[in-house]
Amino acid sequence: MPSPTPTTPGAGEAWVRGLSIHTRVLALVLALLVPVLCGGLWVISLTYRLERETNERRLEETSRALSMVLDREVTERVVVIRALSNSRLLDAAPDISQQALRAFDDQARRTLTGLEGWLEVRTARRTLVNTRLPPGGLPGPDDAPIATALSARTLIQPLQRDRKIGVQYATLVQPVLRDGQPVLNLTLTVLPREFPRVIDQQQLADGWMAAIVDSSGHIVAQYPGAAASTGRLATPDLLSRIAAAERGTMRSTSLDGQPLTLSFSTSPQGWTYVTGMPRARFDGIVPQAVLKVGMAMSALLALAAAASLWVSRGIVRQVRAELEQQVEKAVAHTRRVEQRMSRLQRAEALGRLMKGLSHDFNNVLGVISNSAHLLRRKANNPDLDFAIDATLRAVDTGSRLIRHVFPAHAGGTGDDGPAMPSTPRRALAGSRILLVEDNEALLRTTSALLDMYGCEVVCGTSADDALRLIEQPPGFDAVLTDVRMPGAMDGIALA
């Protein structure tokens, strides 16, 4: 079974590991509270959007209601003027007698009771009836010359100013047809001051505005500020939208620069009814309850962050205390291990020293022992036998002392150097011996002793020398080697 391969932590994992406990606890609290906070923000956003939609519907409904009321006012006047256009007194049009015209003037005055403005009956050349004159009075032939053609359909003409009396008014035109052709036009003036009263009845909210724009783009009436706005052109962006669509909602400004959101609706007669709400109110003001919830959530988040920091400090103190205890234990354990390792290293160093001393003492004893044997062999002097025997006994005593002092590292004389073979001397005669020893004195005395036994001795000072000599013919009958030698290979490995 293959052993698992250790994995290296990625950058993200390493980054997380590098975070402090304070940061991790705070991140945990935020991970729990942020979704709740996001949910609360979503509720606030939803409430804000719903309020905008509600305001838009409210604005459109107000505009629609205002247009219905104003259309009803206009329709009442259309019904009145249309009824007058069907009067029997106008059957002889356009050649109507003065008596019929005075009777129609009286009928018109009674019909228009309660309505402001005046009624005129016009031909293509002159004005026949004008209720603005005193009762019973008719315009003269040269009064109010008419330079425009008669209209063949009911319409509301744009706002205009009468220069003689200095009054602005709009005109509701109703044709009198004969054989499909207009022979008369009944015109009923509509004064702008009539409409603010109608708008006031709608009880618009504070800050709202309402306006009526005629077919030429001039303001007929406006609430508030009716007198100052009458006759002025509407804003260019509103006129552009009115020209593009019959109804809609848009962002604009009032004539005095107030930001508004407008809703407009254009009637079949060509007049446009506009209602406006302050843009700040339309965009939505977060309800107080929702605002309190948001503030409470923010306070909860801040409190949770503070609590997490307080808790994390306690955790850090406890963890720090535990870590300090563990560090103290680890330091004490490390010191004990270091002391044990130091003792082992000292023992190992002492062992290497004792082994080196044992090797050196053995080499010295080997030199002495081999030299004594050479003296016994070469001198052939009985007077020296006593000295040679004493020397050999001293060597044996030294060997025993070495084994006593270095019991784990010492052998007998020659055990650490080249050992003399136990083969009978006559058997060694003529043998080719490879002698490997790094101690020059021991190498010379051992070589001389073997040579005395009749051996052919080849010397080497290291295992590398021995390997090189072994590969050369004619070979060796025996290898006598030291145990400890310089180089990577000792005598045991060589053997």
Side-chain angles (χ1 to χ4, degrees):
M1 179 178 179
S3 59
T5 303
T7 58
T8 303
E13 184 179 354
W15 178 80
V16 171
R17 290 181 178 178
L19 295 177
S20 65
I21 295 179
H22 292 286
T23 306
R24 295 189 183 190
V25 173
L26 182 59
L28 177 61
V29 173
L30 291 178
L32 296 175
L33 290 183
V34 165
V36 178
L37 181 61
C38 291
L41 294 176
W42 177 81
V43 171
I44 294 175
S45 175
L46 179 61
T47 304
Y48 179 81
R49 182 169 57 84
L50 290 176
E51 185 176 2
R52 282 196 51 157
E53 294 176 355
T54 301
N55 287 336
E56 184 173 359
R57 287 195 301 269
R58 182 183 176 190
L59 191 61
E60 292 175 351
E61 291 171 357
T62 302
S63 177
R64 191 179 303 113
L66 180 61
S67 66
M68 291 174 62
V69 172
L70 294 174
D71 278 342
R72 186 171 65 247
E73 293 289 327
V74 173
T75 301
E76 289 178 359
R77 288 163 172 76
V78 170
V79 170
V80 170
I81 196 172
R82 188 169 291 170
L84 290 173
S85 69
N86 293 325
S87 173
R88 291 181 180 272
L89 297 172
L90 301 179
D91 288 345
D95 298 323
I96 306 173
S97 66
Q98 292 291 316
Q99 182 180 358
L101 289 176
R102 286 188 177 89
F104 182 81
D105 179 82
D106 181 65
Q107 181 185 18
R109 291 177 187 275
R110 285 186 280 108
T111 304
L112 295 177
T113 301
L115 295 179
E116 296 190 45
W118 60 90
L119 178 73
E120 296 181 1
V121 179
R122 298 176 179 179
T123 66
R125 292 175 302 190
R126 67 188 185 93
T127 302
L128 300 179
V129 176
N130 187 345
T131 61
R132 191 176 62 184
L133 299 176
L138 297 177
D142 297 330
D143 290 343
I146 303 300
T148 58
L150 297 177
S151 174
R153 63 185 182 87
T154 303
L155 56 85
I156 302 179
Q157 291 181 338
L159 196 67
Q160 56 186 304
R161 175 181 289 273
D162 190 322
R163 298 183 181 275
K164 291 183 179 181
I165 61 176
V167 175
Q168 296 187 91
Y169 61 88
T171 305
L172 180 60
V173 180
Q174 173 63 41
V176 176
L177 302 178
R178 297 292 183 264
D179 299 326
Q181 297 297 321
V183 293
L184 295 175
N185 272 172
L186 274 67
T187 62
L188 178 62
T189 58
V190 180
L191 300 178
R193 64 173 176 263
E194 299 182 49
F195 295 103
R197 172 183 53 81
V198 178
I199 296 175
D200 287 342
Q201 293 175 356
Q202 305 306 308
Q203 297 180 350
L204 298 178
D206 292 339
W208 283 48
M209 63 81 63
I212 303 172
V213 181
D214 66 16
S215 57
S216 66
H218 291 83
I219 296 176
V220 178
Q222 177 175 302
Y223 171 85
S229 303
T230 301
R232 296 178 62 182
L233 273 174
T235 57
D237 55 345
L238 175 59
L239 295 178
S240 177
R241 287 294 302 273
I242 291 174
E246 292 184 356
R247 61 179 54 86
T249 302
M250 61 177 292
R251 299 167 72 91
S252 183
T253 56
S254 64
L255 293 176
D256 56 2
Q258 179 185 4
L260 298 172
T261 299
L262 303 177
S263 178
F264 64 90
S265 176
T266 304
S267 68
Q269 292 82 10
W271 281 16
T272 301
Y273 308 109
V274 182
T275 56
M277 178 189 295
R279 193 180 302 171
R281 184 176 300 178
F282 176 83
D283 289 340
I285 301 175
V286 179
Q288 290 296 322
V290 178
L291 186 60
K292 290 179 180 179
V293 171
M295 294 175 62
M297 293 179 62
S298 301
L300 178 62
L301 181 62
L303 181 62
S308 66
L309 292 175
W310 181 77
V311 172
S312 63
R313 288 193 182 98
I315 295 175
V316 167
R317 286 194 294 268
Q318 182 177 358
V319 171
R320 184 176 297 168
E322 294 178 356
L323 288 176
E324 289 176 354
Q325 293 178 358
Q326 294 179 1
V327 168
E328 290 177 357
K329 292 180 180 179
V331 170
H333 177 72
T334 302
R335 288 176 179 172
R336 289 194 297 269
V337 171
E338 289 177 349
Q339 292 173 357
R340 189 179 300 114
M341 292 296 298
S342 178
R343 289 194 296 270
L344 291 175
Q345 290 174 356
R346 289 197 297 270
E348 183 179 357
L350 181 59
R352 288 194 299 269
L353 177 61
M354 294 175 66
K355 190 172 183 179
L357 291 174
S358 173
H359 175 265
D360 293 340
F361 279 133
N362 281 331
N363 285 342
V364 171
L365 293 177
V367 171
I368 297 173
S369 175
N370 291 342
S371 298
H373 284 291
L374 284 173
L375 288 173
R376 185 188 294 274
R377 180 71 174 172
K378 293 288 187 178
N380 198 16
N381 186 352
D383 294 335
L384 296 176
D385 288 342
F386 174 76
I388 292 172
D389 290 338
T391 300
L392 291 176
R393 285 195 301 273
V395 169
D396 290 338
T397 301
S399 296
R400 287 194 299 272
L401 287 174
I402 291 173
R403 284 195 296 271
H404 180 71
V405 175
F406 309 112
H409 307 285
T413 304
D415 289 347
D416 206 23
M420 290 299 296
S422 59
T423 307
R425 296 177 181 178
R426 288 188 301 274
L428 291 175
S431 297
R432 182 176 173 82
I433 303 297
L434 174 60
L435 177 61
V436 185
E437 172 59 60
D438 62 321
N439 188 287
E440 182 180 0
L442 183 58
L443 178 65
R444 292 179 61 184
T445 57
T446 305
S447 175
L449 186 60
L450 290 173
D451 183 67
M452 184 183 65
Y453 289 156
C455 298
E456 179 184 356
V457 181
V458 177
C459 297
T461 59
S462 65
D464 293 336
D465 290 344
L467 292 175
R468 179 176 53 79
L469 294 171
I470 289 174
E471 292 176 356
Q472 297 177 2
F476 298 94
D477 298 314
V479 176
L480 187 61
T481 178
D482 188 6
V483 175
R484 296 186 62 189
M485 291 186 298
M489 185 180 295
D490 57 10
I492 297 176
L494 177 61

